[in-house]
Amino acid sequence: MIQNNLKCISTVPLILFLTMLVCIIISILGRISIENLLDALESEEVRFAVILSVKCSIVAIILALLVGIPSGYALARYNFKGKEIIDSLINLPILLPPLVLGFGLLLLLGNTPIGNFISENIMDIVFTQNGIILAQFIIATPFIIRTTRAVFEGIDVKYEYIAQSLGLSRVESFFKITLPLAKSGIVAGAILGWARAIGEFGATLMLAGATKMKTETLPIAIFLNVSIGNIELALAIATIHIAIAIIVISLIKFVINLNGGKYDRC
């Protein structure tokens, strides 16, 4: 009897939440026709937004992996002063509204000594496609760090010690033993981070702006078309975004299932 009550108490909220999610998706998909979707796919604006979103998010996730993998390893394997503070700071981009992060980036890289130096000597970032990549990188990197840290913590450090006792250096044991063992978990984290990057809106809006056919990613394209009342095209773009999300979720589940679901805590 108690078990039945607990089952009811735990499943009813789940059903209510799922119902809400399904209603949201139906509210989008139920108003889009196949003709409008096909017309949108042939639209130069939509193709530009899809290509720009994919291109920028791939560059951003590569940069995030270059930072996230060593960072996750350091947090998993080493204890040092201020580790908890650093761990909290890394989580800030997850907790803060993306608009706040984008506003902070704009203040940092705008008309400031740092911003002027980067603009004159390295590249333009503010209100450019480079700004999209930077915004997506800031948003995606914490997910990569959290995931890789959990994966590295799940791998017994004894494997590295055994490899080193057989003559490998620490660096060689990392690349030849630890990294291959963590490969699938890192891939799952990369897919999760990429999904977060391609859906990024707030920070991108603040740092790169919302300029049609210039900094128009998929979320920005939805925002621009809704703002001018072009609801049909906005619905089609939202449908494309939902399709991408479903593909990403399927990929994550596939990768996790390959490893027996051992990355659930990521």
Side-chain angles (χ1 to χ4, degrees):
M1 185 68 178
I2 294 176
Q3 286 184 346
N4 288 336
N5 288 336
L6 183 60
K7 182 179 179 181
C8 181
I9 292 171
S10 59
T11 54
V12 167
L14 174 64
I15 292 171
L16 289 175
F17 182 67
L18 288 176
T19 302
M20 186 184 300
L21 283 180
V22 170
C23 288
I24 291 171
I25 293 172
I26 290 176
S27 69
I28 295 173
L29 301 184
R31 297 181 59 180
I32 183 75
S33 65
I34 297 297
E35 291 78 12
N36 286 338
L37 184 59
L38 293 176
D39 288 342
L41 290 173
E42 293 177 357
S43 161
E44 185 179 356
E45 180 185 352
V46 173
R47 289 206 303 270
F48 177 88
V50 171
I51 293 171
L52 182 64
S53 295
V54 172
K55 181 180 70 177
C56 290
S57 59
I58 287 176
V59 175
I61 208 64
I62 290 173
L63 296 174
L65 285 169
L66 291 175
V67 172
I69 293 174
S71 301
Y73 184 81
L75 289 170
R77 286 288 188 265
Y78 304 116
N79 290 316
F80 45 85
K81 285 186 177 179
K83 182 175 177 179
E84 292 303 320
I85 296 174
I86 291 172
D87 188 54
S88 300
L89 287 173
I90 289 170
N91 289 325
L92 269 184
I94 298 174
L95 301 175
L96 285 174
L99 275 172
V100 174
L101 289 173
F103 186 50
L105 286 169
L106 184 63
L107 292 177
L108 176 66
L109 301 173
N111 189 20
T112 63
I114 295 175
N116 292 333
F117 175 81
I118 294 175
S119 176
E120 292 170 5
N121 298 283
I122 302 176
M123 66 178 71
D124 289 325
I125 293 179
V126 177
F127 302 134
T128 68
Q129 293 181 5
N130 294 325
I132 298 173
I133 294 171
L134 179 58
Q136 293 178 339
F137 166 79
I138 294 294
I139 295 296
T141 300
F143 290 93
I144 302 293
I145 294 176
R146 284 171 57 88
T147 306
T148 53
R149 178 183 180 178
V151 172
F152 287 132
E153 285 178 342
I155 298 174
D156 197 329
V157 72
K158 289 179 181 176
Y159 291 119
E160 295 178 37
Y161 293 151
I162 293 171
Q164 290 164 24
S165 70
L166 294 174
L168 295 183
S169 67
R170 286 190 173 184
V171 174
E172 288 174 330
S173 68
F174 172 77
F175 281 105
K176 294 185 177 180
I177 304 297
T178 310
L179 196 57
L181 289 173
K183 181 177 63 178
S184 297
I186 292 173
V187 171
I191 295 171
L192 183 64
W194 179 77
R196 187 63 188 84
I198 201 171
E200 210 296 308
F201 173 72
T204 301
L205 180 66
M206 294 300 295
L207 186 61
T211 306
K212 203 163 188 173
M213 302 294 285
K214 183 183 177 184
T215 58
E216 190 178 8
T217 59
L218 284 170
I220 295 292
I222 295 173
F223 169 74
L224 287 174
N225 283 287
V226 169
S227 65
I228 61 174
N230 193 352
I231 304 300
E232 292 296 328
L233 189 56
L235 282 169
I237 298 169
T239 302
I240 294 170
H241 226 320
I242 290 172
I244 292 173
I246 292 172
I247 292 171
V248 169
I249 292 170
S250 300
L251 282 174
I252 292 173
K253 285 191 170 295
F254 175 75
V255 173
I256 290 176
N257 288 337
L258 283 180
N259 292 275
K262 63 182 180 181
Y263 302 116
D264 288 348
R265 64 177 177 149
C266 294

